[in-house]
Amino acid sequence: MLTPNLTVSEQGTLCFGGADMTALAKKHGTPLYVMDENMIRENCRGYQRVIAEEYGGNGLICYASKALSCKELYRIVHSEQLGADVISGGELYTALQAGMPAEKIVFHGNSKSDEELEMAMKAGVGRIVADHLPELERLNRIAGSLGKTPAVMLRIKPGIDAHTHDFVKTGCIDSKFGFALETGEALEAVKAAAAYPNLRLVGLHCHIGSQIFDTEPFAEAGRVMVRFMAQIRTELGLTLPELNLGGGPGIRYTEDDDPPAFGSIVRAILAAVKAVCAELDFPNPFVLFEPGRSIVGGAGLTLYTVMAKKTIPNVRTYVLVDGGMCDNPRYALYHSRYEALIANKAAAERSERVTIGGKCCESGDLIGEDMPLQPAEPGDTLAVLATGAYNYSMASNYNRNPRAEIVMVRDGEARTVVRRESYEDIARNDI
Ligand code: LLP
């Protein structure tokens, strides 16, 4: 099975986090997102452990809540001592409502509005990551008007493209995020930020990508960033105390995927950071990481009801379900691959190859193509695995489909943490 929390009961049904998925689908209806709380907590602890063991605990793990933002997630990660990365007023609002301490929140974004910046400063978020020069100017102005001196980090493009096989150092100037290192733009931004009277420049941030399977680009980003911090010390006499290295460790979506454990990635980054610090006699910075997918991705699956099966001779077989791109747009957007199985036939062989189609009025509304699956029949419960990240958070009401419920399982017990939307919810703001 894809993750160790997936098992098959004696009756041949799929269990996840100790709960029977066919029973859950019956009780809560479908489509249904199911999250395994124990696995989320184990992942949080795994990250904490590495920081403690390799770095004396001198860091903060901020869960990247764009992967899955709802109050219960913030409560869980907060109870595991993590902070949160938020990217919008909506995520910030949800995190604060859930009791996430503002000082443990990092606020991101390349297009934050004045209202969002004001909201972040009034709440007292721990760090605001500035993306471009005019934003620094706005930050300084708003801070002045509120009588605040927020801690600011600068988003740097370290010039590492982790998505090419041989990552290249010049590949990433063309990104909408942050200040480029190699053009001198980043150094200018540091000078500007340091000069603003209402801002406290505390450090630098970088994020080299997502769903990355190679360790080396991460380690190289750590080296590049520490070298830049040392250059800032030499040229500007400024020793920045903090370094945020973003998120990005990849997870297993299919049985062919073999990513390194996130722990070994973080270990490699910290080793690289410490080595360059020692070489350049630079103090080890306080480090931040922002993992999203590797905390919640494998800890979730989605249940659907099979509505119909359509075989087009010599072309393909469609298995049609009661959800689709409105609850999981990742195949439509990225052609992302998933494993699926019939929860009520989990012990049977996946002897067919099918295309799983959604209910939206769009040919591209697929969960996947050429997927091995047990012979499906209408009424079966289909489970799509590893949907904990970037599914609910990217869901839409396309075709006015209500967003699905999220159920959290813990030791076999299930509770609703996000209610299913109703038709009234959907039409609420219509005039
Ligand atoms: N920090 C920053 C600044 C980010 O931009 C991201 C992701 C993360 C942390 C978390 O990265 P993770 O650990 O989850 O890889 N919708 C896409 C993923 C977009 C990721 C955007 N930024 C998908 O479904 O694959």
Side-chain angles (χ1 to χ4, degrees):
M1 285 282 193
L2 201 65
T3 49
N5 54 350
L6 285 160
T7 51
V8 177
S9 71
E10 278 172 17
Q11 293 74 40
T13 56
L14 181 70
C15 296
F16 182 64
D20 187 298
M21 293 299 100
T22 52
L24 220 56
K26 219 168 266 152
K27 180 163 177 213
H28 293 262
T30 55
L32 183 68
Y33 299 109
V34 187
M35 301 296 303
D36 177 0
E37 180 171 350
N38 286 342
M39 190 173 186
I40 297 170
R41 290 185 181 276
E42 274 165 33
N43 289 337
C44 293
R45 286 172 203 173
Y47 270 102
Q48 297 282 54
R49 207 176 306 124
V50 182
I51 301 282
E53 287 171 8
E54 304 293 322
Y55 210 69
N58 188 29
L60 179 66
I61 305 291
C62 291
Y63 163 61
S65 60
K66 69 207 76 188
L68 172 53
S69 175
C70 67
K71 288 182 190 171
E72 188 67 355
L73 241 297
Y74 293 107
R75 289 186 202 111
I76 291 171
V77 301
H78 172 44
S79 76
E80 295 294 339
Q81 323 302 329
L82 271 65
D85 147 2
V86 302
I87 178 105
S88 67
E91 286 182 1
L92 175 59
Y93 174 83
T94 313
L96 294 170
Q97 287 277 310
M100 174 61 71
E103 65 273 12
K104 290 182 114 173
I105 295 178
V106 177
F107 190 31
H108 274 288
N110 65 299
S111 290
K112 307 177 202 80
S113 67
D114 282 7
E115 290 72 25
E116 286 175 315
L117 293 176
E118 205 174 307
M119 179 182 173
M121 284 185 219
K122 281 186 176 158
V125 307
R127 293 155 187 89
I128 299 176
V129 182
D131 181 83
H132 47 267
L133 289 174
E135 186 186 34
L136 281 171
E137 199 262 313
R138 285 197 292 135
L139 271 165
N140 182 62
R141 175 173 46 76
I142 295 167
S145 71
L146 296 174
K148 306 262 185 194
T149 48
V152 168
M153 304 189 105
L154 299 179
R155 176 147 186 175
I156 307 297
K157 292 187 254 192
I160 292 170
D161 184 352
H163 293 287
T164 57
H165 184 62
D166 281 322
F167 59 94
V168 285
K169 288 195 184 168
T170 48
C172 266
I173 291 182
D174 183 12
S175 158
K176 70 169 182 164
F177 301 106
F179 302 98
L181 199 55
E182 65 227 71
T183 59
E185 187 190 17
L187 192 63
E188 289 309 310
V190 173
K191 281 185 204 159
Y196 279 117
N198 304 319
L199 305 181
R200 278 182 300 123
L201 178 64
V202 296
L204 305 180
H205 169 277
C206 74
H207 170 76
I208 59 169
S210 196
Q211 184 60 1
I212 299 171
F213 277 29
D214 279 352
T215 304
E216 186 47 26
F218 287 107
E220 183 60 8
R223 288 184 207 106
V224 168
M225 294 298 281
V226 176
R227 284 194 200 109
F228 182 46
M229 290 169 92
Q231 183 193 348
I232 292 167
R233 180 181 61 178
T234 307
E235 296 195 18
L236 309 178
L238 186 66
T239 303
L240 295 175
E242 298 191 358
L243 175 58
N244 183 337
L245 290 153
I251 64 159
R252 241 183 137 206
Y253 281 106
T254 71
E255 275 152 21
D256 299 333
D257 290 338
D258 188 19
F262 63 72
S264 67
I265 292 177
V266 179
R267 266 175 231 283
I269 300 174
L270 293 174
V273 165
K274 284 191 288 187
V276 179
C277 284
E279 180 194 319
L280 301 176
D281 194 26
F282 193 83
N284 285 341
F286 182 83
V287 291
L288 296 99
F289 290 98
E290 300 165 339
R293 191 190 314 267
S294 51
I295 292 195
V296 291
L301 58 73
T302 308
L303 299 177
Y304 301 96
T305 299
V306 174
M307 305 308 295
K309 190 171 172 180
K310 256 186 205 174
T311 298
I312 306 174
N314 305 319
V315 181
R316 66 168 94 201
T317 296
Y318 284 98
V319 171
L320 303 177
V321 298
D322 58 350
M325 67 190 294
C326 38
D327 52 79
N328 181 358
R330 295 191 71 256
Y331 188 79
L333 280 172
Y334 322 116
H335 272 206
S336 306
R337 304 210 44 172
Y338 285 98
E339 297 284 351
L341 43 93
I342 302 288
N344 47 301
K345 299 171 182 164
E349 199 196 329
R350 292 193 294 174
S351 54
E352 301 190 347
R353 292 196 90 87
V354 302
T355 293
I356 299 175
K359 69 176 294 190
C360 292
C361 191
E362 182 140 339
S363 307
D365 170 25
L366 306 175
I367 298 294
E369 294 175 272
D370 199 24
M371 298 171 81
L373 194 67
Q374 290 89 354
E377 293 159 285
D380 281 345
T381 301
L382 178 89
V384 177
L385 308 182
T387 59
Y390 304 111
N391 272 233
Y392 172 75
S393 65
M394 293 173 72
S396 74
N397 289 126
Y398 184 40
N399 292 166
R400 291 235 142 170
N401 285 304
R403 256 175 282 242
E405 174 177 346
I406 306 181
V407 156
M408 186 72 67
V409 300
R410 183 172 189 177
D411 303 325
E413 297 294 317
R415 65 185 192 280
T416 299
V417 296
V418 176
R419 280 190 289 270
R420 186 176 301 283
E421 279 180 347
S422 64
Y423 293 137
E424 295 80 62
D425 290 333
I426 289 178
R428 172 162 297 136
N429 295 321
D430 293 9
I431 309 287

